[in-house]
Amino acid sequence: MGTIWNKLMTICLVIEIIGNHLRVPTICFAHNITAFFVFGDSLVEVGNNNYINTLAKPVFPNGIDFPKGTPSGRFTNSRTIADIIEEELGFKDYAPPCLAPNTNGDMILKGVNYASSGSGILQSSGLIFGGRICMDKQVDYFTKTRQDIISRIGAPAAQALLRNSLYFVMIGSNDIIFGECSLALDFNHYVDGVVSKFKSQLTTLYNLDARKIVVLSSLKVGFMPFEIDIHFCAQDCVSSLNKLAKLYSSKLKSLLEDLTKNLSGSTFVYADYYAVTEDLINNYRSYGFEKANHACCELIGRHGGLFPCLPVCRICPDRTKYVFWDPFHLTESANLILAKQLLDGGLEYVSPVNIRQLANS
């Protein structure tokens, strides 16, 4: 049953009889991916925070370039990096927010997005925003989704679907940003605590039938307009945050290598988001940008970094010339470049395989 379901979910044969001629069947998906599940923070959120009591809601002008008439729920001008990768893997629809009332039925068989702005690996990260769905809770929601899938198509078919799905995990930057309050502590001690907690969460996903898991490291947080503006008189603070982010990224890579080695049948892909964002910002002009660390959606701050993107903000007329959309998040133009690096990049950015290779495995 599982083998049959796997074939049905990955290959769609379209047969048209024209007179006495048979049109050659076409393949619906070019990859061995049945569904796309997203876990993370505001960098990949699609609207879950609209359903909880929180200060971190993606209000307009967020989504200003998203298809008209479609509520965005995203903290960028249009598509997130996860949206772009989903499209590249052949999905016609984006994974819907798990808290949306209409996220049910057959819709969940193609994937769900659990990401929430302000969330982190640690439950304490992002507390300043009020409500947010931390990684523990996101895993809990996935547990419920998994049970709903089993109830809908049966356990054998559900296992086949889940084991051939791709799990995109982009969380941890808030643990670095809010970890600034803990910088008086030993860096290694703090990061070890974050990584240990993450190991437990990722292992739980594996035990729930996740096998193809892409995990992104923290971006180089010191490049954010927010961090640059708030530390304008103390650049060493930004350097400390970058050091913390780099240490976390290094330990995360080792963790994912160990998980792949020890959890049978799994592939945990390490996506070096720190390195790809560093390359993009250091070489922004060669990528066609004019502003590397200035927010497009801005109100106050030397780099537009001291106020979130809200209706009172000014919007740059050409979003394609800016790397950053707001004090924290990238524009779609930047996301397109980074998605390409993770989809098809070499071992300097993605290991042990890139996302396209994982999808084809």
Side-chain angles (χ1 to χ4, degrees):
M1 176 66 179
T3 301
I4 295 173
W5 177 258
N6 183 30
K7 289 180 179 179
L8 288 174
M9 292 298 293
T10 56
I11 300 179
C12 177
L13 300 181
V14 180
I15 301 176
E16 289 186 21
I17 299 177
I18 305 175
N20 293 322
H21 299 283
L22 190 65
R23 178 174 293 180
V24 178
T26 60
I27 296 178
C28 209
F29 286 99
H31 307 276
N32 277 333
I33 297 298
T34 50
F36 194 91
F37 295 96
V38 183
F39 302 81
D41 52 32
S42 57
L43 294 171
V44 286
E45 186 187 342
V46 295
N48 282 313
N49 278 22
N50 287 329
Y51 302 96
I52 62 178
N53 185 18
T54 179
L55 295 175
K57 291 184 184 290
V59 299
F60 188 85
N62 285 292
I64 190 171
D65 299 317
F66 208 71
K68 301 300 181 184
T70 306
S72 166
R74 291 152 171 82
F75 287 86
T76 181
N77 61 304
S78 188
R79 293 174 297 169
T80 70
I81 190 171
D83 293 332
I84 296 162
I85 290 172
E86 281 181 85
E87 289 182 4
E88 281 291 316
L89 296 182
F91 290 93
K92 295 181 180 179
D93 299 308
Y94 304 127
C98 70
L99 295 185
N102 62 341
T103 300
N104 52 40
D106 287 346
M107 180 183 295
I108 66 174
L109 301 180
K110 293 297 180 66
V112 177
N113 185 309
Y114 306 91
S116 168
S117 176
S119 65
I121 295 165
L122 303 179
Q123 292 188 21
S124 58
S125 295
L127 186 63
I128 190 174
F129 297 114
R132 68 255 182 253
I133 311 169
C134 66
M135 186 61 182
D136 278 339
K137 188 64 177 177
Q138 291 183 36
V139 174
D140 288 343
Y141 280 128
F142 173 70
T143 303
K144 181 182 182 302
T145 299
R146 178 178 179 271
Q147 188 55 53
D148 290 343
I149 292 173
I150 291 172
S151 298
R152 196 158 192 84
I153 63 176
Q159 185 181 76
L161 183 153
L162 294 167
R163 291 191 175 187
N164 283 287
S165 297
L166 192 141
Y167 300 80
F168 190 85
V169 185
M170 191 174 189
I171 198 166
S173 291
N174 285 325
D175 299 285
I176 303 302
I177 294 170
F178 293 105
E180 182 179 11
C181 300
S182 306
L183 288 183
L185 303 177
D186 177 72
F187 274 23
N188 276 292
H189 177 77
Y190 178 76
V191 172
D192 284 345
V194 174
V195 171
S196 175
K197 181 67 172 177
F198 206 15
K199 177 181 180 180
S200 174
Q201 294 160 345
L202 293 173
T203 301
T204 299
L205 283 180
Y206 172 84
N207 290 333
L208 294 170
D209 288 316
R211 291 296 182 269
K212 299 179 179 183
I213 305 115
V214 178
V215 184
L216 281 71
S217 67
S218 170
L219 80 164
K220 193 169 183 177
V221 293
F223 280 154
M224 290 179 173
F226 169 77
E227 295 295 346
I228 293 173
D229 278 359
I230 204 170
H231 292 118
F232 71 96
C233 61
Q235 289 297 325
D236 57 317
C237 294
V238 178
S239 297
S240 295
L241 281 172
N242 286 337
K243 182 179 179 182
L244 189 63
K246 194 165 188 176
L247 178 63
Y248 165 72
S249 298
S250 174
K251 289 179 179 286
L252 175 63
K253 183 177 183 181
S254 296
L255 168 65
L256 299 180
E257 289 170 350
D258 289 343
L259 289 175
T260 298
K261 179 179 178 181
N262 295 314
L263 297 180
S264 177
S266 71
T267 302
F268 286 83
V269 169
Y270 171 73
D272 196 341
Y273 198 60
Y274 186 101
V276 293
T277 53
E278 182 177 50
D279 171 68
L280 174 61
I281 293 172
N282 285 343
N283 302 291
Y284 69 98
R285 290 195 181 279
S286 67
Y287 286 108
F289 295 98
E290 295 177 358
K291 300 287 186 180
N293 50 26
H294 197 109
C296 165
C297 182
E298 63 164 325
L299 186 64
I300 55 175
R302 292 181 306 152
H303 298 83
L306 297 181
F307 200 81
C309 188
L310 294 173
V312 295
C313 292
R314 298 181 296 273
I315 308 298
C316 64
D318 188 353
R319 268 76 77 180
T320 67
K321 300 302 182 183
Y322 284 69
V323 172
F324 278 92
W325 160 245
D326 67 7
F328 306 96
H329 310 100
L330 303 180
T331 59
E332 180 192 63
S333 295
N335 285 331
L336 281 163
I337 292 168
L338 300 181
K340 176 64 175 175
Q341 298 277 34
L342 302 187
L343 276 161
D344 300 310
L347 293 175
E348 72 274 21
Y349 293 139
V350 213
S351 61
V353 294
N354 62 40
I355 293 177
R356 204 180 300 276
Q357 289 168 337
L358 177 68
N360 284 323
S361 66

